[in-house]
Amino acid sequence: MEAARTPGPEAGSNGSAGSTGWARGGLAPLLEFWPWQLLMGQQCLNQSRITEFILVGFSSLGDLQILLFFIFLLVYLTTLMANVTIMTVIRLDRTLHTPMYFFLFVLSCSETCYTLVIIPKMLTNLLSTDKTISFSGCAAQLYFFVGLACTNCFLIAVMGYDRYVAICNPLNYMLIVSRATCIQLVLASALCGFMISVIVNILVFSLPFCASNRVNHFFCDISPVIKLGCTDTNMKEMIIFFLSILVLLVPFVLIFISYVFIVSTILKISSAEGQRKAFATCISHLTVVIVHYGCASFIYLRPTSLYSSDKDRLVAVTYTVITPMLNPLVYTLRNKEVKTALRRVLSRYSLPKSI
């Protein structure tokens, strides 16, 4: 299918596109109530003659797409259930009303929104022959994906700082990581994440797309979309690469430095039991750090010219589908406090047995 050109009845904002809903436009309906043109510039949008993109996704797999649909649907439902469970337990059990679990609550909420941006559209395309997404829908999907992904990176770094203060300065922990400080750190993470996302969207969608409209991916990611541009993209790619370093390497280095101090402090604890308990509070966070930053770094800390559609699509499945499921499971299965609180909440709100 060739690129769609100037808007007609199919792609116009007031035509039949409005009735095709999520399967065709993704998040496009939101844009009618949101000043998207002010963020990107009306001139930037007018440079492109393409009005929709085709998400190639897993089209080459043929009938196996049906099997993938049920696998990804199961994983997605598990992710939603796990994140909702963690948020509910943290909200209902007062023993978990601490900075560490406040950050975990926000991370679970952010991860839930993150999956909502990608997976429903992917599931729809696995069963549909029409795999198109409108230009505005693609821009919105990339905006929310990058914004939430960056927010998660900063939140995980904030959680590392929380562990550093808790172990290295326990007497002043509640004073340093106060409720006001927690809220400020979360707001700063979200603000920085979505500001970076605005910059990335302007860089990507200010390109003229006058050739192919086939995005060789299952969602509108940076590299597959920017490769469709008709002009030289080297400068834009360099800026995006610099932003990737800012989002991935800087927080990771800060986390690494935090854990150097944490390990040094733990090794000074005289009892083996005390060392074990201190390490236990960090192991879940370390697991999330390795999985999250590892996959993201593989994709985004390299030039776009090295983009390999098949290999990168597999890695993308890991950080968009698998990782959001692993995070709550890791914090639940490897955290004694959460498991104890979960049992407490279940016993408190379970229905009384019939006599």
Side-chain angles (χ1 to χ4, degrees), residues 287-308:
T287 305
V288 171
V289 167
I290 293 170
V291 174
H292 184 91
Y293 285 97
C295 292
S297 297
F298 177 82
I299 295 293
Y300 298 106
L301 292 182
R302 59 178 180 164
T304 307
S305 58
L306 297 180
Y307 175 76
S308 171

Side-chain angles (χ1 to χ4, degrees), residues 144-206:
F144 286 109
F145 166 71
V146 173
L148 290 166
C150 293
T151 299
N152 290 346
C153 285
F154 296 139
L155 279 175
I156 292 172
V158 166
M159 294 172 77
Y161 170 73
D162 170 74
R163 290 299 81 208
Y164 161 74
V165 177
I167 293 174
C168 298
N169 197 358
L171 297 179
N172 295 319
Y173 175 61
M174 295 307 296
L175 181 64
I176 297 173
V177 192
S178 63
R179 182 175 180 82
T181 302
C182 291
I183 294 173
Q184 290 168 3
L185 288 172
V186 168
L187 291 177
S189 298
L191 180 62
C192 292
F194 281 94
M195 283 181 62
I196 290 172
S197 183
V198 169
I199 296 171
V200 170
N201 259 45
I202 292 174
L203 291 171
V204 172
F205 290 99
S206 61

Side-chain angles (χ1 to χ4, degrees), residues 9 24 32 39 44 47 52 64 87 103 116-117 125 164 171 186 209 213 257 261 282 295 304 310 314 325 331:
R24 188 171 181 83
E32 296 181 9
L39 290 176
C44 295
Q47 286 181 359
E52 63 182 22
L64 284 177
M87 289 188 286
F103 293 131
L116 285 171
V117 173
N125 285 348
Y164 161 74
L171 297 179
V186 168
F209 298 100
N213 67 336
I257 294 172
F261 286 105
C282 299
C295 292
T304 307
D310 294 333
L314 180 62
M325 179 187 70
Y331 272 102

Side-chain angles (χ1 to χ4, degrees), residues 210-228:
C210 50
S212 173
N213 67 336
R214 296 176 64 85
V215 178
N216 200 7
H217 213 332
F218 58 86
F219 71 99
C220 291
D221 202 0
I222 298 172
S223 293
V225 175
I226 207 170
K227 284 170 70 75
L228 302 179

Side-chain angles (χ1 to χ4, degrees), residues 16-33:
S16 61
S19 62
T20 55
W22 172 264
R24 188 171 181 83
L27 295 173
L30 293 177
L31 302 180
E32 296 181 9
F33 306 99

Side-chain angles (χ1 to χ4, degrees), residues 6 85 136 186 198 229 246 272 304 310 336 339:
T6 53
T85 299
S136 297
V186 168
V198 169
L246 179 66
T304 307
D310 294 333
K336 186 177 180 180
K339 288 191 288 187

